[in-house]
Each structure stands twice: as C-alpha cells, then as structure tokens.
Amino acid sequence: NIIKCLLPDFKSRLFLVSHLTRYIRTSYNMQDIPIRSVDYRFVKQFEEALIVQGLKAITINKIMQRVRQMVTFAFKCNYIQQDPFVEYRPLKERKRLVFLTQEELHKLEHHHFAQKRLETVKNIYLFSVYTGLAYQYDFTPEVSIDVNGEKIANGASMRGSMGIGSLGLRYQSEDCPWIADLKVRGCVGQ
C-alpha cells in the first residue's frame, strides 16, 4: 500500500529529473552539477529552457515548485549558503476568456441535466449571463484584491460572501452613428 501511495510522487519526481538532466546536459555539457552551483541565474535559465520547450505556464510552475522543494531542503541542511528562489516569482498564466455563442447559450438553456445539482448550477450560470449578477463565497482568508497593482483589501477582511451586480443599457439609433452606453455596477459583501 505504501508503494501505491508513493508512486504518483515518484513519477512526478522522475518527470522533474528528466527535465533537469536534459537542461544540465545541453547548458553545461555535464551529467550533473554540484548543488552549490544552483543560483538565481540557474533557476531563471532553467525556467527559460522550459518555456522554449513549449510547456505551459502551469506545468513550468509545477516543475519549478518541485525544484524549489529540493533546493529549500538543501538550504536547510546547509548544503547551500543562500536560497536562489528568494527573488523568484512563478509565471503568471494568461487566461483567455471564451464567450459562449448565441447558439451555445440556446443549447445550454434547453439541455436538462439528470442531476438536480447540475441543473441548479446551469440556472445560476444562465441567470448570471443574462443579468450580469454574480455571487461568490470565499472559504479561506487567503483572498486579496488588487486594483491596478494596488492592494485594497487583505485576506482577513475578505471572509464570507460577496455579490456583484452590473446593469447595462446600450442605445443606437438606426439613423445616427452615435451609441449611448449606460452602466451601473455595485458590490456588496461581508
């Protein structure tokens, strides 16, 4: 049973070792390097090599997280004098918003789920799509709000629920090139 529990972690470590081995062979023309040679430059260049391989940001971040675990262990055991990950920041994953087409919305509206829970989720989603209203509940205080890079709320004040409302009206006359937009937004929360 213990082998079954450790197997997924072992496989992920093998994945990491294969990437590190390939990087060290191509960049240093060696099989391995001393742990004390791992510095911030090594970390950033390894990350760049993973990017060049075409890996996604989330995969690169996971690999770097595992490297960081090993380096942190080496630092705690005094094999290295400083942590090369002190200034390191994980890659930010750029999320591409995908909007449903009218046809997809129509299919979703008329689809009936066998599970009541999924039907409820569908109805809440459609309500949000057509009204611009949203609801969120945060279970942990690990939430922060940043607006234009400025932190406006920390996690301790963000526990609980939050509602967001947005109402918009657009008017364009057929014989006039001007468009009038009226938008009202509001937030409530605990």
Side-chain angles (χ1 to χ4, degrees):
N1 282 348
I2 194 163
I3 298 298
K4 279 187 178 179
C5 291
L6 294 175
L7 194 58
D9 190 53
F10 179 72
K11 286 180 181 178
S12 68
R13 301 288 178 203
L14 282 177
F15 182 68
L16 167 64
V17 168
S18 71
H19 281 289
L20 272 172
T21 303
R22 185 180 315 124
Y23 171 69
I24 291 170
R25 280 187 189 148
T26 58
S27 298
Y28 294 87
N29 208 16
M30 299 170 76
Q31 296 286 55
D32 199 0
I33 60 170
I35 189 72
R36 64 184 172 280
S37 299
V38 176
D39 56 5
Y40 181 74
R41 193 173 127 251
F42 175 90
V43 169
K44 288 305 285 181
Q45 288 177 347
F46 179 54
E47 179 187 67
E48 187 63 36
L50 295 173
I51 292 170
V52 169
Q53 289 178 27
L55 299 176
K56 293 186 177 181
I58 193 164
T59 304
I60 293 171
N61 288 342
K62 197 61 169 172
I63 291 170
M64 298 306 287
Q65 179 185 30
R66 290 188 178 116
V67 171
R68 185 178 209 154
Q69 289 171 345
M70 292 188 305
V71 169
T72 300
F73 179 76
F75 178 68
K76 287 179 180 177
C77 293
N78 291 324
Y79 296 133
I80 56 176
Q81 299 305 312
Q82 61 185 22
D83 184 358
F85 278 91
V86 169
E87 296 293 321
Y88 177 76
R89 299 290 171 257
L91 296 174
K92 290 190 177 183
E93 187 177 359
R94 295 181 183 224
K95 295 182 181 175
R96 194 176 128 250
L97 292 179
V98 179
F99 299 98
L100 296 179
T101 64
Q102 285 297 108
E103 181 182 325
E104 290 169 330
L105 274 174
H106 183 74
K107 279 184 183 177
L108 182 60
E109 283 177 40
H110 293 89
H111 183 81
H112 294 287
F113 290 96
Q115 295 178 353
K116 186 178 181 195
R117 178 178 50 87
L118 293 177
E119 192 68 27
T120 303
V121 170
K122 174 191 89 168
N123 290 335
I124 291 171
Y125 175 75
L126 289 172
F127 179 78
S128 176
V129 166
Y130 287 120
T131 63
L133 299 174
Y135 176 78
Q136 177 180 345
Y137 188 87
D138 294 311
F139 295 98
T140 65
E142 309 297 322
V143 180
S144 65
I145 295 178
D146 293 323
V147 175
N148 295 331
E150 298 262 342
K151 192 170 190 171
I152 62 170
N154 64 13
S157 65
M158 291 303 296
R159 272 199 162 160
S161 57
M162 177 172 70
I164 301 170
S166 178
L167 180 63
L169 176 66
R170 175 174 272 192
Y171 176 76
Q172 182 176 16
S173 173
E174 291 179 13
D175 52 337
C176 181
W178 296 95
I179 298 173
D181 274 333
L182 173 66
K183 293 182 182 175
V184 178
R185 290 188 179 159
C187 294
V188 294
Q190 207 174 345

